[in-house]
Amino acid sequence: MARKLILDVDTGIDDALAIAYALASPELELIGVTCTYGNVEVDQAVRNSLAILELFGRRDIPVYAGPQPDGFEVMEISQFIHGVNGVGEAPLYDAERSVEPASAVDFMVRAAHHYGDDLVIVPVGPLTTVAAAVEQDPAFAERAHIVCMGGALTVPGNVTAYAEANINQDPDGADRVFRACKDITMIGLDVTLQTLLTVVESEEWEKLNTAGGDFLAKATNYYIKAYETTAPHLGGCGLHDPLAVAVAADPTLVSTLPINLKVDTDGPTRGRTIGDEMCLNDPVKSAHVAIDVDVERFLAEFMQRLTGLARETPVV
Ligand code: BDR
Ligand code: CA
């Protein structure tokens, strides 16, 4: 039976790829998309998510809005990587339906109670909504199974020398989540910067001549170009968010280190994900940090799934 999935996104190009990966994964049943801020504002993440679901023929999947801190502004670097509309200026038609009236936090808390072990929550943006769920209901932290994209344990950050972008947006919220949640797998830069896509792959989508293929190719080409400037040594763009979804579908794609995590919330290392020295000798480890990934198998799955999904969309 497919595991229920809630995907928490700041849609974002790789967030869009993560939504597509989720839709194309038979191991997962996407029961809701919750939207946070980061690459774009919450409102834009909602618009993008609704439009992407519609593009792939999935108007049945509800979309919820999460909290956005007062005064939040999209960082210049986020806009450079993801474009002003968040999806590399690829045109997306506004969806006919709108966001759900319930809040993303309530939806997450209710789903964790209702589905228990049958649910996996995959946050691929700042952990603000998950932190709010932890605060709203202490039992949430006991019950929730989380696979998140964020952080960096064995490599430097991508915003500061210490902080990865998602954790950097809300280090305090991320710290609360890592300390409280009993089952959390961290898919950080340690592995996501090993899974790279190039124009060789995006051309496959172009060749489909479908609405879905065109969208994936346009958005991803923009992302690849940005990476050529920000991280030319990589030779491609990082498939951060889809890797987290892929691990939720198939945990054997990565090997992990059991550890109790915390986030530095003060000083120059603010935003660093690191082992909690106070829990070093605790035999129970609440987090598993991915430190290696089967790159070849993931990329093969990624291309097969997304190409299959895009092939089914209308011909252009
Ligand atoms: C993470 O930051 C965002 O820009 C991406 O969507 C991804 O979730 C990578 O550091
Ligand atoms: Ca993201």
Side-chain angles (χ1 to χ4, degrees):
M1 208 183 65
R3 204 169 181 203
K4 315 272 184 218
L5 165 71
I6 295 177
L7 189 52
D8 188 42
V9 283
D10 58 326
T11 327
I13 298 171
D14 60 326
D15 304 75
L17 300 175
I19 294 174
Y21 199 102
L23 296 179
S25 293
E27 305 88 345
L28 299 168
E29 179 193 344
L30 186 58
I31 61 161
V33 172
T34 54
C35 292
T36 185
Y37 64 96
N39 296 326
V40 289
E41 298 204 34
V42 169
D43 284 355
Q44 184 70 34
V46 165
R47 263 198 301 278
N48 290 347
S49 302
L50 284 166
I52 290 163
L53 289 170
E54 188 145 316
L55 175 65
F56 292 112
R58 296 303 303 270
R59 286 186 192 165
D60 55 309
I61 297 169
V63 174
Y64 300 85
Q68 175 172 303
D70 290 342
F72 167 75
E73 277 179 23
V74 176
M75 289 169 74
E76 226 174 272
I77 182 68
S78 310
Q79 225 165 64
F80 179 77
I81 292 177
H82 297 273
V84 176
N85 76 347
V87 288
E89 319 312 352
L92 267 181
Y93 296 106
D94 271 346
E96 277 169 28
R97 67 194 173 115
S98 13
V99 69
E100 299 298 313
S103 84
V105 180
D106 289 347
F107 172 66
M108 238 180 230
V109 169
R110 261 190 285 118
H113 278 276
H114 188 76
Y115 295 113
D117 293 342
D118 295 334
L119 173 74
V120 59
I121 300 173
V122 180
V124 296
L127 285 167
T128 309
T129 300
V130 183
V134 166
E135 251 158 63
Q136 180 166 308
D137 173 20
F140 173 85
E142 302 284 330
R143 281 165 186 258
H145 302 286
I146 298 173
V147 179
C148 72
M149 191 284 134
L153 190 71
T154 62
V155 293
N158 58 357
V159 176
T160 72
Y162 296 101
E164 178 279 331
N166 289 338
I167 305 293
N168 181 64
Q169 294 284 1
D170 185 4
D172 304 277
D175 187 49
R176 282 201 293 282
V177 169
F178 282 127
R179 286 177 191 272
C181 290
K182 296 289 175 261
D183 177 22
I184 182 158
T185 301
M186 179 179 121
I187 307 298
L189 300 179
D190 315 83
V191 283
T192 64
L193 287 179
Q194 296 183 45
T195 55
L196 303 162
L197 209 72
T198 69
V199 287
V200 174
E201 287 84 24
S202 64
E203 269 167 20
E204 295 294 310
W205 297 332
E206 253 156 33
K207 282 191 223 148
L208 294 173
N209 289 319
T210 63
D214 276 7
F215 169 74
L216 292 178
K218 276 201 182 94
T220 307
N221 285 342
Y222 189 100
Y223 192 50
I224 293 169
K225 272 236 147 0
Y227 264 74
E228 278 169 13
T229 309
T230 57
H233 60 284
L234 290 174
C237 65
L239 293 175
H240 309 282
D241 296 351
L243 181 59
V245 175
V247 172
D250 177 3
T252 69
L253 282 170
V254 291
S255 42
T256 60
L257 173 77
I259 187 171
N260 289 307
L261 279 179
K262 68 170 186 176
V263 177
D264 287 345
T265 54
D266 290 313
T269 62
R270 182 170 156 82
R272 173 172 68 162
T273 45
I274 187 86
D276 181 354
E277 71 281 13
M278 302 306 284
C279 301
L280 191 58
N281 297 315
D282 192 332
V284 180
K285 315 289 183 199
S286 57
H288 288 83
V289 176
I291 47 167
D292 203 7
V293 52
D294 188 337
V295 175
E296 218 175 293
R297 193 152 67 86
F298 167 65
L299 286 180
E301 289 290 341
F302 177 84
M303 283 311 292
Q304 195 222 322
R305 290 177 190 219
L306 268 68
T307 309
L309 187 76
R311 190 176 286 125
E312 298 307 315
T313 57
V315 173
V316 285

